[in-house]
Amino acid sequence: MNQAAIGAALLLAGAVWFTAGTLSFSQGEQQSALAGAEPAHAQPDNRRVVRSTQPEISPGSAASIHASVPESNSVLHTHIQRWKEALSSQKGFEAWGRAQWTSAPLGPGTHGWIVILSAGGSEVGYMIIQAAQDGSYKLAEYGTGDHPLFSTGTLYRSLVQHELIDTSMTYHTWLSLAAHDLTRLYTDGLHAVWEIDNTDAGNSILIDAATGEIRTFNDYNPAVNHKLSGAALSSVPESASMLPAFDPYSSLNWLQNDSLPVRSIRDLQLFLNAEPLTFVSESFSGRLTVPLPVTGVAIWTGDTAYVALGQEGTRYLAFEDIVSLGRFFH
């Protein structure tokens, strides 16, 4: 690395050390009725990434900087292309048909990949793919929107907003310096974070992979070899029902009501047909409560079903996984 690059890297490290010791990244003061976990969005105006005031970037144009699937992994290439083409025929996924994709490994020890799709210079969606025991792959999660899971654009805005990097450092300059040092931790859809090393302080900073919010705890140890559900290569979307997203904080019934007895995707569909549902997870060992609007259900062939959740776009998580991660409320 040349002297200019080293200087920029040291500047970044110094900023991380300084802010880690002086700033408090509050997740909100409101007490949750659910196991005392702190709400994820109690003070959204103070904690969410303010995109309108951040530098303009075009993540889709930086594809060559991202780590990618090795060319030799033709099996994974086949899975990605198959699912991309299958989803592009679905409502809300039209941009996927002309999209290019880049990818990066999840880890360590997860045997998974994040695939980011971009079209026209903008990100349009993502897929989380995990290796299966038989050598094939499963589609553990997918979603649409211009701020997908593990978007480096969202991460960059968060670092700038919290003064962890200087505002004079452009997105492309930052990414060229940091691309090989970014750690993406993914256990499941509700435990997905960036880990930013804070070497001088002897710890790490965790940043939510969906929202860009900084987590106040730093002792998270992701599960290794955690197996997720999801569609196989032979599966294709069969049917989908979608509802408008809503703000879970506009009604706090999920704090007051009993959870619904959802044991099957059919149960969920019946409850969803009656009135809007909120999915509430108590993630990171109960330290973070996240309420998300349920915006639909997607049924795939091969007895695979996904639950659509509204968060920075629409996220589709496998039903078999999500029922163990939280509860549903009217």
Side-chain angles (χ1 to χ4, degrees), residues 16 20 34 57 62 78 83-84 106 134 138 145 182 187 201 213 223 225 229 231 242 246 304 312 321 328 330:
V16 170
L34 298 176
I57 62 175
T78 299
W83 288 321
K84 173 181 173 291
L106 302 172
D134 62 1
K138 292 183 178 180
L182 299 177
T187 300
E213 295 168 356
N225 294 323
S229 303
M242 295 301 296
F246 59 90
T304 301
E312 303 299 321
D321 296 327
F328 295 91
H330 273 317

Side-chain angles (χ1 to χ4, degrees), residues 66 104-108 114 150 152 179 182-186 193-195:
H66 289 270
L106 302 172
I114 171 69
F150 287 111
T152 52
L182 299 177
T183 302
R184 302 162 178 84
L185 301 180
Y186 183 93
V193 293
W194 295 94
E195 184 180 50

Side-chain angles (χ1 to χ4, degrees), residues 218-329:
N218 56 20
D219 58 345
Y220 170 53
N221 294 312
V224 177
N225 294 323
H226 178 68
K227 298 303 179 184
L228 299 171
S229 303
L233 178 63
S234 58
S235 299
V236 294
E238 193 171 36
S239 64
S241 58
M242 295 301 296
L243 297 170
F246 59 90
D247 182 2
Y249 285 97
S250 63
S251 173
L252 298 180
N253 290 338
W254 52 273
L255 283 174
Q256 304 164 357
N257 295 345
D258 293 332
S259 61
L260 300 171
V262 176
R263 300 181 180 85
S264 67
I265 193 64
R266 179 59 178 164
D267 289 342
L268 180 62
Q269 289 173 312
L270 291 174
F271 286 124
L272 196 57
N273 288 337
E275 56 182 301
L277 299 182
T278 298
F279 174 76
V280 181
S281 80
E282 298 174 12
S283 53
F284 299 98
S285 302
R287 290 176 292 185
L288 185 69
T289 298
V290 181
L292 299 171
V294 179
T295 58
V297 169
I299 306 298
W300 287 53
T301 59
D303 296 323
T304 301
Y306 294 89
V307 179
L309 302 175
Q311 187 184 41
E312 303 299 321
T314 302
R315 300 178 63 188
Y316 294 81
L317 278 65
F319 173 78
E320 291 186 17
D321 296 327
I322 201 173
V323 291
S324 65
L325 298 175
R327 294 173 284 170
F328 295 91
F329 296 85

Side-chain angles (χ1 to χ4, degrees), residues 94-180:
E94 293 83 0
W96 285 38
R98 63 181 185 277
Q100 302 294 316
W101 58 267
T102 59
S103 61
L106 302 172
T110 58
H111 305 289
W113 298 85
I114 171 69
V115 177
I116 301 291
L117 294 98
S118 301
S122 299
E123 294 168 333
V124 296
Y126 72 96
M127 293 184 281
I128 295 288
I129 298 174
Q130 189 179 57
Q133 292 182 344
D134 62 1
S136 64
Y137 296 87
K138 292 183 178 180
L139 181 59
E141 178 183 345
Y142 61 97
T144 61
D146 55 3
H147 300 285
L149 196 69
F150 287 111
S151 167
T152 52
T154 300
L155 175 61
Y156 169 76
R157 292 186 184 95
S158 180
L159 294 174
V160 171
Q161 179 184 348
H162 292 292
E163 299 179 351
L164 295 176
I165 59 176
D166 194 273
T167 55
S168 64
M169 183 178 292
T170 68
Y171 168 75
H172 295 285
T173 298
W174 163 77
L175 188 59
S176 66
L177 294 170
H180 299 292

